[in-house]
Amino acid sequence: MKKNRWMAGLALCCMALLTSAPTQAQELVNGQLWMDTEGNHINAHGGNIIQYGDTYYWYGENRPYRGFTTEAGVGVYSSKDLKTWKNEGIALAVSEEAGHDIERGCIMERPKVLYNAKTQKFVMLFHLELKGRGYEAARVAFAESDSPTGPFRFIRSTRVNAGIWPFNMDKKAQQAAQQTDARKWKEWWTLAWRKEVEKGMYLWRDFAGGQMSRDMTVFIDDDGKAYHITSSQENLTLLVSELTDDFLDFTGKYNMVAPGGQNEAPCLMKHDGTYWLICSGCTGWAPNEARMFSAPSIWGPWKQLPSPFVGTATGYRNMPANKTFGAQGTYIFPMNGKPTFMADIWNDRHLSQSLHLWLPIEFDSEGVPVINWATTPF
Ligand code: GAL
């Protein structure tokens, strides 16, 4: 009898916990695990957020607890308040078909979704590495859906801008690039090698087959035109490429940013008419100092400025600003009226457990972005 009452009490307690926990808006604390409404850490990394109607959708890499390859696909979560996130499952699933571009065991990274108002479709672009080939394929992939939560339909993967010169590269510069020969350079990082990179040595090496595309983001301008920004040419040079009106292809108009600068994890925003690009250096999963560029037009000229990060991550391993507080950017999204830098604190032993870091972007008296550590994003 006593035991029964005890059991009933325990059951009531569990029910109360189960019914109350999911509806409670949690405080998101930077540098800690962020739970979804089921109490699991949000497994959406390297991704982005869109708003559709009164709902926010957060897309990201669904990573396994162990290992580096993609076993499930791209995950999606929904929220009405940017704090309470419901797991909506896998938006784009890996294929079970052997030899398929997104066969289980491939690597799907940095997925970004855009809503196309003209076609009323949700379009996903992501970095794809083919199964069993490490990071050598360096492709961008497209998928599309009628619903924000999917299922997204895989369309194709490709290298970018095959056989096309950057639109503002003049004839003389094109000729200089054609004189380079990447096969000759066994030793990297010498002054002479760097000069060749700046001339477009890797642009020319990959000219016929298409340019590499790894870490990437997307950006929609005020006029509705969308752009793909990617780390190309062995992660040495960024490319900004215009997308077609349906966002499912490239128009062929593109430009290089910071040739030889070795930037990745690009994040782009426009503020008061100026374009701001915040990137990281290339140190794999380990954090490094962020880089910032600004331009009066998406086509440049891009000018490099110091990193916008200042201060120290109090409460998170005291990671300093010159290590981007331990994180690497993925997207800039306006949250509660403020552009907010979304980043991942990678956990390379357990990628699914990588932490999220969202920080509001402030502007100094000259309108230059400044990003301070904050315990909570809002
Ligand atoms: C990082 C990159 C990640 C992932 C990782 C693999 O530099 O930003 O998206 O590709 O390398 O080592």
Side-chain angles (χ1 to χ4, degrees):
M1 181 65 187
K2 231 181 185 175
K3 196 174 165 203
N4 276 351
R5 225 183 286 154
W6 187 84
M7 294 283 280
L10 186 72
L12 269 176
C13 248
C14 289
M15 267 172 67
L17 272 176
L18 281 173
T19 47
S20 67
T23 49
Q24 252 167 39
Q26 65 164 327
E27 197 63 56
L28 304 177
V29 180
N30 284 322
Q32 292 188 10
L33 293 172
W34 290 7
M35 300 308 173
D36 65 14
T37 54
E38 287 158 21
N40 299 312
H41 178 54
I42 297 173
N43 196 353
H45 310 283
N48 82 327
I49 289 180
I50 60 165
Q51 184 176 2
Y52 182 66
D54 64 352
T55 308
Y56 298 99
Y57 295 92
W58 180 2
Y59 303 88
E61 301 160 16
N62 177 286
R63 290 286 196 165
Y65 186 70
R66 287 207 167 76
F68 295 92
T69 54
T70 303
E71 302 302 315
V74 175
V76 56
Y77 292 77
S78 69
S79 174
K80 300 268 187 215
D81 62 3
L82 292 164
K83 288 184 175 178
T84 317
W85 291 96
K86 176 172 180 268
N87 188 350
E88 299 281 358
I90 297 298
L92 173 66
V94 292
S95 166
E96 300 302 336
E97 189 188 320
H100 194 287
D101 279 12
I102 56 164
E103 178 182 0
R104 181 193 298 274
C106 68
I107 301 174
M108 292 155 82
E109 289 186 346
R110 300 196 171 266
K112 304 287 178 299
V113 171
L114 292 169
Y115 176 66
N116 189 305
K118 270 191 200 144
T119 60
Q120 300 187 356
K121 303 263 190 207
F122 297 85
V123 177
M124 183 189 293
L125 278 79
F126 60 98
H127 166 202
L128 175 67
E129 295 295 346
L130 303 174
K131 184 175 178 179
R133 289 178 47 189
Y135 277 84
E136 72 165 34
R139 296 168 83 82
V140 61
F142 293 86
E144 192 182 50
S145 167
D146 293 322
S147 145
T149 51
F152 279 76
R153 184 175 60 87
F154 176 77
I155 297 177
R156 70 177 183 293
S157 80
T158 177
R159 282 275 179 103
V160 302
N161 302 314
I164 308 170
W165 293 105
F167 86 98
N168 54 2
M169 196 168 177
D170 63 25
K171 276 266 164 320
K172 213 171 137 211
Q174 291 175 16
Q175 276 158 8
Q178 288 173 68
Q179 244 101 76
T180 62
D181 184 355
R183 287 167 307 186
K184 281 207 306 220
W185 298 86
K186 300 281 172 268
E187 201 191 337
W188 283 34
W189 310 118
T190 63
L191 220 61
W193 171 88
R194 193 173 284 284
K195 276 212 174 110
E196 296 298 289
V197 172
E198 282 165 16
K199 276 190 214 161
M201 176 160 69
Y202 295 110
L203 174 76
W204 178 237
R205 182 196 67 183
D206 295 338
F207 190 77
Q211 302 300 319
M212 301 174 101
S213 179
R214 290 204 183 108
D215 276 12
M216 52 141 280
T217 194
V218 291
F219 173 73
I220 302 196
D221 213 335
D222 307 329
D223 59 3
K225 275 215 175 305
Y227 300 87
H228 169 249
I229 299 100
T230 194
S231 189
S232 187
Q233 301 175 16
E234 304 290 352
N235 293 353
L236 290 162
T237 299
L238 292 166
L239 303 183
V240 176
S241 306
E242 189 180 67
L243 295 176
T244 51
D245 285 351
D246 59 8
F247 302 168
L248 293 175
D249 208 345
F250 297 95
T251 64
K253 184 171 182 182
Y254 78 105
N255 195 9
M256 297 194 283
V257 179
Q262 220 193 9
N263 297 293
E264 64 175 9
C267 302
L268 185 65
M269 70 169 167
K270 187 179 186 181
H271 187 79
D272 285 347
T274 299
Y275 296 79
W276 299 94
L277 187 55
I278 301 175
C279 311
S280 74
C282 298
T283 51
W285 304 113
N288 54 53
E289 182 161 28
R291 293 99 185 268
M292 182 163 69
F293 301 84
S294 77
S297 147
I298 189 96
W299 301 121
W302 290 94
K303 162 175 104 181
Q304 187 159 8
L305 291 103
S307 158
F309 290 84
V310 291
T312 302
T314 42
Y316 179 69
R317 296 187 185 172
N318 291 336
M319 289 298 275
N322 68 7
K323 288 275 186 275
T324 316
F325 306 133
Q328 190 182 30
T330 180
Y331 201 63
I332 297 170
F333 183 76
M335 298 196 194
N336 302 329
K338 268 201 180 164
T340 301
F341 182 77
M342 296 171 61
D344 299 277
I345 298 177
W346 296 114
N347 176 340
D348 61 352
R349 296 177 60 173
H350 301 298
L351 278 176
S352 65
Q353 305 306 99
S354 300
L355 302 172
H356 307 290
L357 171 72
W358 293 355
L359 294 172
I361 304 179
E362 313 286 344
F363 294 88
D364 71 10
S365 56
E366 259 129 63
V368 176
V370 179
I371 306 178
N372 264 290
W373 172 259
T375 311
T376 58
F378 317 110

